[in-house]
Amino acid sequence: MRNLILLIILAFSLPLISDTELRVKEVVFNGNQQFTDEILKTVVKVKKKDAFNARALKIDQVLLTNFYVLNGYRDVYVASDYEKRGKDITVAYDIREGKRFYLKNLTISGNEKFAYNHLRREIKIPFGSPFNPALVEAGLNQIERFYQDAGKPYVLVKPRESIEEDSLITLDIEIEEGKTVYVRQIHYEGRTLVKAFLIRRELAIKKGDTFSQSLIETSQKNIYSTGLFKFVDYQVNPIGDDETQVALVWKVVEKKALWVGLRFGVGYEDRTTSGNVTTFDFTAETGHRNIAGTARSIALRGVQSLYFGSTQSDDSHKARYPKTEFSFTYVEPWVLNTRTPGIIRVAYSQESEPVATVPISLFSVTGDLSHQYDRYWSYAGGLSFEQVDIDTDDIDILAQSTGTLNQFSQGNDKIIALRFDPVKDKRDNVLITQRGYLSEFRNKIAYTQSQPVIDGTISDTTVTNYFYKVILQWSRYQGFRWNNRWTLATRLRGGAIFDFLSGKEIWEIPTKERFFLGGASTIRGYGEQMIGEVVAYQTDDDRIINLPVGGRYVLLGNMELRVPLFWLFYGTAFVDVGNIWQNTEEIKAFSLKASSGAGLAVITPFGPIRFDYGLKWFPENDESAGDFHIGISFAF
């Protein structure tokens, strides 16, 4: 612990500007026998050719000492020095390794609640392995937590080490379990408008339960998640002289019920069928978070989105405003007396590329339920109605079609859908994921009525369709085999639309429901959503605009290596592959589009901002060799 504190102090005391006149010419290690120079160079911060800073040597002494101690060298001694020759610096670390200590035996006494084997598993050092004090401390903390969660908060865990034969350690753990404690009373302090039952229903621990530290912490997290409080803390007080009976006191500070806000942040258009689109969003909002003291809430929001990049109709990279939205949201925090929020949302938006394939107006009413089963598993589902209208200003342009766009892919659509989306999310961080995985299983049953555009006019004919849409996606994030600081990210996605009525053409499926590929978040090197069949039309100023038709089936695979470079910058190298198909006959003539490339990302408060360039593997004769992309957040 002392070494950790010293390391933090030294790190923050380093000057922001080094003497860039002096450079590290060489880094030398003396006295190291167990670990090679190459291994130790990965431990220290001072690197060859870096600007020299003498204080960084002190940090490296702490890092090297900790490295040896964690590998069994309890008595290691590390010193550092440097030699200056002109503008060149040679840094030397002198190491006296000392003896290496090993775990010979481990005994546990005083344990009645838990068996020896149950507790021994938490000290993750096999007999005969180097003695690692960090693993011992972590194991002791977990043993203590076992007892605290089993009604024994007064437990004492006392480790004692003895050394035999100069280098063999026997670890004796003595446990004083203490008495079993029960929560007999629960009180609330600081509550004004929020009714007591709103806090009570969030508690994972109830009156009469045995004491459990984990359940108390879960309760604290649940209370915070209501959004009603800006501060939540607890205190455990004995009742009278009986230390086995305690009162649990919750101390809260409420947020103001009425709120008004302006904010600027990152918006994430979760368009799994067409590729996720990330935008900068300007939001004005107001609402009430605690109607009549019941935790029910309403909110009014207006959002203007900003996007920088190219689109199907314009391949120049520039700022665009692809979405303007106004919405009303009502939240019922508990449905059927469970922690299952119910959300009713009414929204109107005007969308254009790349959020929508063509300019549209969208009115929607949705009713959703979501539930978190445990730390990783959750589901979301609900019923929705959407009215999609193509912008009539574009109808005249479409009428001047070059001939290939006889029957346009989007007109006026009504979509009623029922969806159910189970998700397992074990990512360590949502924005900058380094470890874990994400599994998604998206299901939708839809009834649609469409009035397609034919020869530049919205048809009076209504096309009805029923279909089931399914998307399976799995993303994995792991350390790179040859450098654990690097992250290897992989993703596999497959999707299909199955019509309940046979013989339906692709244009009879609303564009909003079809699959699209190509662009910054799917297959880089291609234009946004430009993989698959493309039709063209001519504008008033004689420009030819390409418009993707989309597909009924999709397959996508991505692999990306993410390498921290310096400060907040990451380098990436990627391979993307996939395709879309309109029918099973196209799948039989199986082919894939593929690209690879590299990029640079910088970490910001809004998430990573990345600059990628992708090269097509097999470009068509009339295609460019690749494309440049700017995105917010990593591709997946």
Side-chain angles (χ1 to χ4, degrees), residues 225-271:
S225 70
T226 64
L228 300 175
F229 306 98
K230 57 184 176 182
F231 176 80
V232 179
D233 200 1
Y234 61 89
Q235 187 173 333
V236 179
N237 299 326
I239 299 176
D241 296 329
D242 187 356
E243 62 182 13
T244 66
Q245 312 292 318
V246 297
L248 179 59
V249 182
W250 291 99
K251 300 183 177 183
V252 299
V253 177
E254 296 181 5
K255 293 180 179 178
K256 292 181 179 179
L258 285 170
W259 54 274
V260 177
L262 293 173
R263 57 188 171 91
F264 172 71
V266 173
Y268 190 71
E269 295 294 333
D270 188 8
R271 303 294 171 89

Side-chain angles (χ1 to χ4, degrees), residues 426-489:
K426 294 194 71 172
R427 293 175 294 176
D428 59 351
N429 186 291
V430 176
L431 290 178
I432 310 173
T433 309
Q434 295 181 318
R435 299 294 184 271
Y437 65 86
L438 173 66
S439 301
E440 299 175 84
F441 181 30
R442 298 175 181 264
N443 303 267
K444 177 185 283 188
I445 297 175
Y447 165 78
T448 66
Q449 290 183 345
S450 302
Q451 293 176 278
V453 174
I454 300 178
D455 294 329
T457 304
I458 295 180
S459 171
D460 292 331
T461 303
T462 299
V463 177
T464 300
N465 199 0
Y466 304 84
F467 60 83
Y468 167 61
K469 183 164 74 172
V470 59
I471 300 170
L472 294 169
Q473 179 166 293
W474 183 69
S475 305
R476 184 183 181 189
Y477 310 87
Q478 57 187 318
F480 190 55
R481 179 175 180 181
W482 291 286
N483 191 325
N484 205 44
R485 294 178 60 244
W486 301 358
T487 299
L488 181 63

Side-chain angles (χ1 to χ4, degrees), residues 121-154:
R121 285 196 298 267
E122 300 308 315
I123 308 295
K124 301 185 184 301
I125 307 174
F127 293 127
S129 297
F131 189 85
N132 185 327
L135 293 180
V136 172
E137 183 175 358
L140 295 175
N141 290 338
Q142 185 57 53
I143 291 172
E144 187 176 78
R145 175 53 69 101
F146 283 156
Y147 280 94
Q148 291 174 344
D149 289 344
K152 296 184 179 295
Y154 305 123

Side-chain angles (χ1 to χ4, degrees), residues 191-346:
R191 183 178 59 82
T192 54
L193 297 177
V194 177
K195 296 182 179 180
F197 82 91
L198 297 177
I199 302 177
R200 186 166 55 250
R201 71 185 182 185
E202 300 292 343
L203 300 182
I205 190 167
K206 310 294 183 182
K207 286 183 181 180
D209 289 351
T210 55
F211 183 94
S212 171
Q213 187 67 34
S214 292
L215 292 181
I216 291 175
E217 291 174 0
T218 298
S219 300
Q220 184 181 32
K221 179 181 177 182
N222 291 347
I223 296 171
Y224 261 123
S225 70
T226 64
L228 300 175
F229 306 98
K230 57 184 176 182
F231 176 80
V232 179
D233 200 1
Y234 61 89
Q235 187 173 333
V236 179
N237 299 326
I239 299 176
D241 296 329
D242 187 356
E243 62 182 13
T244 66
Q245 312 292 318
V246 297
L248 179 59
V249 182
W250 291 99
K251 300 183 177 183
V252 299
V253 177
E254 296 181 5
K255 293 180 179 178
K256 292 181 179 179
L258 285 170
W259 54 274
V260 177
L262 293 173
R263 57 188 171 91
F264 172 71
V266 173
Y268 190 71
E269 295 294 333
D270 188 8
R271 303 294 171 89
T272 310
T273 57
S274 59
N276 300 324
V277 179
T278 310
T279 58
F280 286 111
D281 285 355
F282 300 88
T283 303
E285 54 191 348
T286 185
H288 195 296
R289 60 171 53 93
N290 189 22
I291 299 174
T294 62
R296 299 182 177 93
S297 65
I298 57 173
L300 291 170
R301 287 185 177 88
V303 181
Q304 177 63 66
S305 296
L306 170 67
Y307 171 82
F308 185 88
S310 62
T311 63
Q312 302 100 319
S313 59
D314 186 354
D315 59 5
S316 62
H317 290 77
K318 61 183 181 181
R320 308 169 192 275
Y321 302 94
K323 183 175 181 179
T324 302
E325 181 181 69
F326 301 94
S327 65
F328 169 81
T329 304
Y330 169 78
V331 178
E332 174 64 52
W334 278 57
V335 176
L336 299 177
N337 201 33
T338 64
R339 297 190 76 253
T340 303
I343 302 174
I344 296 175
R345 187 172 185 269
V346 181

Side-chain angles (χ1 to χ4, degrees), residues 39 102 134 150 164 186 246 290 314 371 387 459 561 610 632:
I39 292 176
Y102 299 85
E164 305 172 17
I186 297 179
V246 297
N290 189 22
D314 186 354
H371 186 79
Q387 170 75 52
S459 171
L561 183 63
R610 58 188 170 90
I632 305 171

